[in-house]
Amino acid sequence: PQASREYQLVENGIKTCMYPGYPELYMQLNKKCEFHFTPDWYRGIEYPKEQERGYDFNEDLYVPGYFEVDIKKGESIVFSAGISETTPRKLKQTFEAEVADRTPRDSFYHCLKNSAHQFHNQQEGEHYILAGYPWFKCRARDMFIALPGLTLALDEIDQFEDVMKTAEKAIRNFINEEPVGYKIYEMEHPDVLLWAVWAMQQYAKETSREQCRQKYGELLKDIMEFIRQRKHENLFLHDNGLLFANGTDKAITWMNSTVNGHPVISRTGYIVEFNALWYNALRFIADLVREGGDVYLADELDAQAEVTGKSFVEVFRNEYGYLLDYVDGNMMDWSVRPNMIFTVAFDYSPLDRAQKKQVLDIVTKELLTPKGIRSLSPKSGGYNPNYVGPQIQRDYAYHQGTAWPWLMGFYLEAYLRIYKMSGLSFVERQLIGYDDEMTSHCIGSIPELFDGNPPFKGRGAVSFAMNVAEILRVLKLLSKYY
């Protein structure tokens, strides 16, 4: 009874306001029409997804009436709803201009390209990448991992540079121990700077090392200096050349689910992908600065990489040929997880070809699904592949067997690295699994994660930046073989 059923006629439509203090809702068509006032309540609409998640799931919905309009065969009618009045005769023009501005969703690639553009977010003159829809902000790690795929893979180099302009300011503030001051969250996570280096490395491959050095050379040197001088409060360079981070009290890696304030998986100590990123960064920056004439720094970084690479193999590689997920003193995590695949995918790796192939084989055998790479092997303890139920139940499953599409990007890059031309048809077959996704969930995008067991149902956020980015990056890698 509190809801107002009042309405007033406006040009080719009506305006109505259900509650005081709400904005007016305008509904207009681009053609003369007749509004029939038939107010109805649809009671007890249920939202099963919300119910499954333990949220309110019941709602009553109000419909004020319907429009009747004469329409000729083949004619299109444009309907508009908004909180301000529009000029009906301009509706068709506005609609067509908006359509022209978007990538048509008429192919797998175009769907992904359209989706990629939707993660760009500009506020107050700064350029961010949102981690996903409907509820994610701009998270630092996600931004750097997604950036190459969302921009360089689409040949949008200026967009990469634009986002990096904002990101560089945030990185510099962080390194100089000033407040980050930008809407980029979780900048303090220990692997974020290393992922930033990886993103700039992709820029160097897409443009040239020369261009990368001119644009980002100083930033790359400063990041390395910051880590090597042990200035990061949770990233310690040990004498064996490996990076150590404390993750017992707080989740510090991308596997970041927490229950009651504690990480579900406390990955701590020497963490495998942190050190793969570190080795890759040392070698990449050494090569970059050597070409720029700074031989002294290059030799220093290469010497550091020698030590790091030797320790990496000693610490992480086990007798079964795969890599331990993290090592903390006497505590070694033997779970088969996907984080070792980065060591095969990156341009610079401490592993030799035979060692890389062993890692790839184990990931293929135990973690590969048609929708992504599992976060834990079914053979490992605690495997929990279905991301369903209330929040706490989902938090326990989040990284314990669910399949993540963005990891597939690195997996397929690793596959092409080992098998080259002979791996192409396999890679193409793997990508078919995502083609079906274009017509479910969020149309034309890829959701956050999938169940690790058949039928591999999509779950979580309906659209996820790192997933879209990495599939686009693989499509770009494939195009270089043809």
Side-chain angles (χ1 to χ4, degrees):
Q2 283 83 18
S4 159
R5 305 189 312 178
E6 303 280 316
Y7 73 93
Q8 280 152 331
L9 292 173
V10 294
E11 194 183 353
N12 291 6
I14 65 159
K15 69 172 181 176
T16 181
C17 181
M18 280 182 78
Y19 301 106
Y22 270 41
E24 299 268 9
L25 172 64
Y26 289 84
M27 293 185 267
Q28 293 170 278
L29 284 78
N30 69 326
K31 198 176 172 188
K32 282 270 179 282
C33 58
E34 202 176 322
F35 176 66
H36 293 270
F37 180 56
T38 49
D40 265 321
W41 278 99
Y42 287 79
R43 297 189 196 282
I45 302 281
E46 288 185 355
Y47 301 109
K49 273 252 160 91
E50 303 292 304
Q51 184 175 14
E52 178 195 301
R53 288 166 163 255
Y55 302 148
D56 285 345
F57 61 94
N58 237 305
E59 189 171 37
D60 300 337
L61 296 178
Y62 171 66
V63 178
Y66 62 92
F67 294 101
E68 208 168 56
V69 62
D70 290 331
I71 183 167
K72 297 187 194 75
K73 190 174 181 178
E75 183 183 9
S76 294
I77 302 289
V78 182
F79 168 82
S80 123
I83 54 172
S84 59
E85 192 169 356
T86 183
T87 313
R89 63 178 174 281
K90 287 192 181 156
L91 275 177
K92 201 156 200 145
Q93 222 176 319
T94 309
F95 182 75
E96 281 162 4
E98 288 288 339
V99 169
D101 196 32
R102 287 165 170 69
T103 305
R105 290 184 285 196
D106 54 7
S107 69
F108 178 52
Y109 175 73
H110 277 160
C111 282
L112 292 178
K113 182 176 179 181
N114 186 64
S115 181
H117 290 153
Q118 293 170 336
F119 298 111
H120 289 275
N121 178 257
Q122 289 176 334
Q123 295 180 47
E124 295 154 12
E126 301 299 343
H127 193 152
Y128 302 101
I129 298 279
L130 297 179
Y133 287 101
W135 54 69
F136 285 116
K137 302 183 180 95
C138 172
R139 300 192 300 197
R141 180 189 299 110
D142 297 60
M143 177 173 72
F144 291 124
I145 294 175
L147 186 55
L150 297 183
T151 57
L152 304 174
L154 301 171
D155 300 320
E156 294 172 0
I157 288 161
D158 53 337
Q159 293 281 55
F160 179 97
E161 293 171 354
D162 210 35
V163 174
M164 268 312 293
K165 208 179 286 175
T166 296
E168 176 166 356
K169 291 186 247 185
I171 290 173
R172 290 211 171 280
N173 284 359
F174 176 72
I175 286 179
N176 298 328
E177 294 175 24
E178 293 161 8
V180 170
Y182 296 92
K183 292 177 183 163
I184 300 175
Y185 297 85
E186 301 176 358
M187 199 72 201
E188 73 287 354
H189 284 198
D191 56 336
V192 163
L193 295 176
L194 295 166
W195 278 115
V197 172
W198 175 84
M200 289 180 264
Q201 181 181 13
Q202 308 315 304
Y203 177 85
K205 289 193 319 205
E206 210 47 59
T207 56
S208 68
R209 287 204 182 175
E210 174 61 26
Q211 191 167 326
C212 180
R213 189 169 56 253
Q214 282 175 3
K215 237 183 158 41
Y216 304 121
E218 287 310 308
L219 178 62
L220 288 165
K221 284 185 196 173
D222 293 346
I223 288 174
M224 291 314 265
E225 184 66 7
F226 180 74
I227 296 172
R228 288 171 68 215
Q229 295 296 330
R230 301 171 169 81
K231 287 183 179 169
H232 196 296
E233 62 178 30
N234 193 11
L235 198 59
F236 311 100
L237 180 56
H238 283 184
D239 292 343
N240 62 1
L242 296 179
L243 291 176
F244 183 97
N246 178 8
T248 38
D249 311 322
K250 185 173 179 265
I252 53 168
T253 76
W254 77 272
M255 293 187 156
N256 56 0
S257 52
T258 47
V259 170
N260 302 327
H262 295 289
V264 173
I265 318 143
S266 49
R267 303 179 69 223
T268 188
Y270 299 131
I271 297 165
V272 71
E273 78 272 22
F274 286 23
N275 285 288
L277 280 160
W278 173 233
Y279 181 86
N280 175 66
L282 285 166
R283 290 290 193 203
F284 162 63
I285 295 171
D287 283 359
L288 194 81
V289 299
R290 178 171 284 114
E291 286 168 18
D294 192 342
V295 180
Y296 176 74
L297 177 61
D299 288 349
E300 220 175 61
L301 294 177
D302 271 334
Q304 174 72 72
E306 282 299 316
V307 178
T308 300
K310 201 167 162 305
S311 297
F312 186 96
V313 177
E314 281 167 11
V315 169
F316 290 108
R317 203 165 170 271
N318 60 35
E319 63 262 40
Y320 301 105
Y322 68 92
L323 304 180
L324 299 168
D325 194 52
Y326 63 88
V327 177
D328 184 14
N330 296 327
M331 164 65 200
M332 299 174 190
D333 185 30
W334 290 76
S335 314
V336 174
R337 291 195 183 272
N339 304 304
M340 56 177 142
I341 197 66
F342 299 115
T343 322
V344 189
F346 292 157
D347 290 2
Y348 301 91
S349 169
L351 303 183
D352 62 34
R353 194 174 183 283
Q355 292 168 336
K356 286 181 188 173
K357 194 173 174 307
Q358 280 184 305
V359 169
L360 185 69
D361 289 347
I362 292 233
V363 173
T364 306
K365 203 162 76 210
E366 300 197 18
L367 303 178
L368 180 64
T369 79
K371 301 292 186 190
I373 305 297
R374 286 189 185 104
S375 41
L376 182 66
S377 164
K379 294 181 180 175
S380 296
Y383 179 65
N384 185 356
N386 295 332
Y387 188 68
V388 292
Q391 187 73 46
I392 191 160
Q393 192 179 327
R394 281 179 291 130
D395 286 337
Y396 276 120
Y398 202 38
H399 301 109
Q400 292 288 75
T402 50
W404 292 75
W406 72 275
L407 294 169
M408 182 72 99
F410 289 96
Y411 168 79
L412 293 175
E413 184 178 19
Y415 199 93
L416 286 172
R417 221 174 257 293
I418 299 292
Y419 292 105
K420 310 217 163 25
M421 291 294 283
S422 58
L424 291 180
S425 61
F426 173 81
V427 171
E428 283 168 352
R429 280 201 308 280
Q430 291 306 312
L431 291 172
I432 290 168
Y434 300 105
D435 215 333
D436 317 341
E437 290 306 312
M438 296 300 103
T439 52
S440 54
H441 289 277
C442 179
I443 306 289
S445 194
I446 301 175
E448 185 177 1
L449 72 170
F450 291 82
D451 288 344
N453 281 3
F456 308 108
K457 215 167 148 28
R459 310 276 187 191
V462 291
S463 177
F464 200 61
M466 296 201 304
N467 293 346
V468 170
E470 277 302 288
I471 301 305
L472 279 167
R473 201 170 65 84
V474 170
L475 288 170
K476 177 82 174 187
L477 284 175
L478 275 177
S479 71
K480 292 184 173 168
Y481 281 87
Y482 291 108

